[in-house]
């Protein structure tokens, strides 16, 4: 296997790996006083994420950005949770909570350190506008924002992972995917990328801790992005 230090590009999954979607959404929903538990609403919203993207992958829907898929899921959830008092402006504001997700405490500094030696970019299913708004608000110091929107292919489609290598004109094994999700990392490895697993045990909240045990198939396993920077000598 290639030496991970020889990687040129570190491509980051974003939702859950770099930013805390559950905590951020739960806090905003609770603050809005909608009469529902913010944690339950956040979990239900995220649960609709993969099924919505699958409609695009299968051809049931044409290419549809995550902002629009999030809105489709949100409208269904408002009915399911019995929330009837939210007007269109309120729905639009709530849907854009995904643009306002807070970074994990180590993310900004860890990425900044890695940026000194590597090209650091996103590889997210989030659309470009969403990722740009998030980065601007949170101070995430990306060199480049890449999205499934660029490749018109949602992960785990190989076009997304190989698209990073193509964008920077490097071999797939010169790209390392950094993610908190083993399925994402497995798909990247299938395309020849190196992989770094980041532990995010509280991604789904304190009540639903994740198993973050190491898996030998990953190139690296780190407790945080800051720990990844340390391991890579940054």
């Amino acid at each position: 296997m290639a030496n991970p230090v020889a990687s040129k590009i570190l491509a980051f999954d974003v939702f859950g790996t770099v930013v805390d979607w559950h905590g951020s959404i739960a806090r905003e929903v609770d603050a809005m006083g909608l009469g529902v538990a913010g944690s339950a609403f956040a979990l239900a919203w995220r649960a609709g994420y993969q099924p919505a993207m699958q409609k695009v992958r299968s051809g049931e829907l044409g290419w549809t950005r995550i902002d629009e898929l999030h809105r489709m899921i949100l409208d269904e959830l408002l009915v399911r949770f019995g929330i009837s008092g939210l007007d269109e402006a309120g729905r639009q504001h709530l849907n854009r909570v995904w643009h306002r997700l807070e970074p994990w405490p180590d993310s900004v500094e860890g990425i900044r350190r890695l940026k000194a030696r590597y090209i650091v970019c996103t590889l997210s299913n989030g659309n470009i506008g969403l990722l740009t708004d998030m980065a601007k608000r949170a101070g995430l110091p990306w060199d480049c924002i890449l999205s499934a929107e660029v490749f018109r292919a949602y992960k785990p489609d190989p076009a997304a992972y190989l698209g990073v290598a193509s964008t920077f004109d490097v071999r797939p094994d010169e790209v390392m995917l950094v993610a908190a999700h083993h399925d994402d990392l497995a798909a990247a490895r299938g395309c020849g990328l190196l992989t770094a697993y980041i532990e995010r045990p509280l991604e789904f909240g304190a009540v639903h801790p994740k198993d973050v045990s190491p898996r030998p198939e990953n190139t690296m396993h780190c407790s945080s992005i800051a720990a990844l920077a340390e391991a890579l000598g940054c």
Side-chain angles (χ1 to χ4, degrees):
M1 177 165 298
N3 184 336
V5 179
S7 301
K8 296 179 179 179
I9 315 296
L10 300 180
F12 286 75
D13 172 69
V14 175
F15 298 129
T17 302
V18 177
V19 296
D20 175 14
W21 60 263
H22 175 269
S24 301
I25 293 171
R27 286 188 293 271
E28 285 217 25
V29 171
D30 284 337
M32 291 177 73
L34 298 176
V36 298
S39 176
F41 196 90
L43 290 170
W45 206 347
R46 182 66 172 180
Y49 179 69
Q50 287 294 340
M53 288 189 295
Q54 184 55 33
K55 291 181 180 179
V56 178
R57 296 187 192 108
S58 70
E60 181 180 343
L61 285 176
W63 176 256
T64 308
R65 300 183 313 161
I66 284 293
D67 271 342
E68 282 72 49
L69 294 180
H70 279 155
R71 177 59 191 267
M72 289 167 50
I73 303 164
L74 173 60
D75 287 342
E76 294 170 0
L77 290 182
L78 294 176
V79 174
R80 188 195 313 174
F81 280 82
I83 300 169
S84 58
L86 201 60
D87 62 13
E88 177 58 24
R91 291 178 182 224
Q92 290 182 15
H93 176 77
L94 179 54
N95 196 55
R96 289 180 69 85
V97 68
W98 295 91
H99 295 228
R100 301 188 293 272
L101 301 182
E102 298 289 343
W104 295 107
D106 61 280
S107 292
V108 173
E109 178 62 14
I111 294 166
R112 185 194 65 77
R113 289 168 60 186
L114 290 163
K115 181 184 172 102
R117 178 173 292 185
Y118 301 93
I119 291 174
V120 290
C121 68
T122 63
L123 180 58
S124 173
N125 286 330
N127 46 283
I128 296 169
L130 181 160
L131 295 169
T132 302
D133 284 347
M134 180 195 295
K136 188 73 170 177
R137 182 176 183 275
L140 296 166
W142 304 119
D143 288 312
C144 177
I145 290 176
L146 293 178
S147 158
E149 183 180 4
V150 175
F151 310 116
R152 297 262 169 159
Y154 283 124
K155 295 186 294 180
D157 190 308
Y161 305 105
L162 295 175
V164 179
S166 177
T167 295
F168 294 107
D169 195 22
V170 298
R171 301 188 312 270
D173 66 357
E174 293 179 297
V175 179
M176 177 181 282
L177 181 70
V178 182
H181 311 112
H182 286 298
D183 55 350
D184 197 3
L185 294 168
R189 278 195 306 278
C191 295
L193 277 64
L194 303 182
T195 56
Y197 181 78
I198 303 297
E199 295 180 3
R200 296 301 186 197
L202 301 182
E203 179 181 358
F204 295 90
V207 178
H208 304 282
K210 282 171 58 176
D211 178 4
V212 294
S213 303
R215 295 191 184 180
E217 57 266 33
N218 286 314
T219 313
M220 303 184 72
H221 180 106
C222 297
S223 61
S224 66
I225 296 173
L228 176 64
E230 186 72 23
L232 291 176
C234 298

